[in-house]
Structure formats: structure tokens, C-alpha cells
Amino acid sequence: QVQLVESGGGVVQPGGSLRLSCAASGFTFSSYGMHWVRQAPGKGLEWVAFIRNDGGNKFYADSVKGRFSISRDNSKNTLYLQMNSLTAEDTAVYYCVKEGTDFDYWGQGTLVTVSS
Amino acid sequence: QAGLTQPPSVSKGLRQTATLTCTGNSNNVGNQGVAWLQQHQGHPPKLLSYRNNNRPSGISERLSASRSGNTASLTITGLQPEDEADYYCSAWDSSLSAWVFGGGTKLTVL
């Protein structure tokens, strides 16, 4: 069965950096595009970034463009999100999501807290 | 980035029918596939419908999705206590080159 396991979340100071990882299993990772979607505490879902199956096309939300970078290693079945220049507004649970038929499988999420 | 518009809350009685709406424009809902997701408190979202009106395997037939112009709808018949959750719509926006979500609708089953 499809499994997506995020890691790398934690507490970071404003202006700091963090790299999230998502280990995928149960499907042919290299055949599917992948998203990062986040949810601030008590708020709705916000799409963050997408990467095509071969890493060739990447798209970002305006709120993270120039600060966040999505990447993947198909040999390791792993998705990444490098987050720089973090602010309090980036505090959220970050979900790794498979793009098969739209957002078809979600991980459990990893919490990122930006606070001094 | 402008999102899709959903009513913040809908309340219906047990065994009644609820219709949740999602309004966008011709760059997203009007000309792109719409997905609907359900999220129970403390859990990740779950896909209910994709590309306007397709149900993934295992999703109840009590749920159906549709689209008319720039508004998408999710209809849930025979409401059950387990249908009480937050519901989100999403679509690709061709002008923004980004996916957009609605703000979510909290469905309460009375």
C-alpha cells in the first residue's frame, strides 16, 4: 500500500532553514509528480510546491517562491523541501502528497514551528 | 494567490442531504478538474473526488461531485455522524500556474 512518511520538522528560529524529507513506498515513485501542502494551526490547506515525476518541472506558491525549493531523488524514493528564510507565517504541518489522480495519497505530516 | 471560495460552515440533520459549493473562475474551476477532500480533526486530508466527478475506490456512493460553470459542488446524501468533517476543494489555476484550495467548509451533522 502507498506510504508517505515525512520527517525533518521541528522548531527553528525566524530567518533559519530546515529541510523536510518524505520517504515514499508502495508505488513506483519515479512515475508520479509530488506535492507539498501545508496547514497552519487551526487553518485551511495551502498548496506549497509541486515537482514533476522526473524533476523537470517545478511550481511554487507565491508565498514561498524564492525561499523554498522542492526536489526529489528517485533512486532513494524520497521527496525534499528545502525551506530558507523562515518566518512565523511558515509555521504549519507540512504534508507530502502523491499526485496520481489529483491529491490521492497524503502522509501524516510533519510540524514546523518558527519561533524565537 | 487567490483561492477558491467555500462557505465556512454548513449544518444539516442526520439522514438529510448536504450540498457544499466551491466557486472559482474560468482559470481554475471553470476549465480545470476539481478535487474534493475530507479532513477529520487531527488527521490528514482524504481524497473524495477527482477531476470533477470521479470517486476513488472505497469512497461511498453517497458522495457525488459536479460542476456548473465556475462553481463545483459536492453532494452528500443520507448524512451520517462520520460525515462531520472539514471539506476542501482544489483545482489547478492556469493563470497562476499553481494549485489553489478553497478555505474549507465545516460540515456539522445535527
Side-chain angles (χ1 to χ4, degrees), chain A residues 83-101:
Chain A
M83 304 186 296
N84 299 328
S85 302
L86 286 161
T87 73
E89 286 65 45
D90 297 314
T91 293
V93 173
Y94 284 74
Y95 294 104
C96 163
V97 188
K98 173 179 169 285
E99 171 69 16
T101 51

Side-chain angles (χ1 to χ4, degrees), chain B:
Chain B
Q1 274 153 330
L4 308 177
T5 300
Q6 297 182 253
S9 64
V10 169
S11 297
K12 289 289 185 179
L14 199 60
R15 293 182 295 277
Q16 287 190 331
T17 295
T19 298
L20 312 182
T21 60
C22 169
T23 302
N25 57 43
S26 59
N27 296 313
N28 42 62
V29 173
N31 285 291
Q32 304 291 333
V34 176
W36 286 92
L37 303 119
Q38 177 193 59
Q39 185 178 33
H40 287 106
Q41 182 72 26
H43 292 271
K46 175 183 177 181
L47 183 66
L48 298 179
S49 174
Y50 62 94
R51 291 168 199 170
N52 297 325
N53 58 5
N54 296 279
R55 265 195 317 271
S57 170
I59 299 301
S60 171
E61 293 181 357
R62 296 188 296 108
L63 277 68
S64 64
S66 62
R67 181 184 66 181
S68 178
N70 295 333
T71 298
S73 300
L74 178 71
T75 298
I76 310 172
T77 60
L79 282 170
Q80 299 297 309
E82 59 265 29
D83 296 323
E84 188 161 292
D86 294 322
Y87 291 81
Y88 296 91
C89 59
S90 179
W92 167 255
D93 190 300
S94 58
S95 70
L96 299 174
S97 292
W99 276 265
V100 288
F101 278 96
T105 296
K106 182 176 183 60
L107 175 63
T108 300
V109 180
L110 303 171

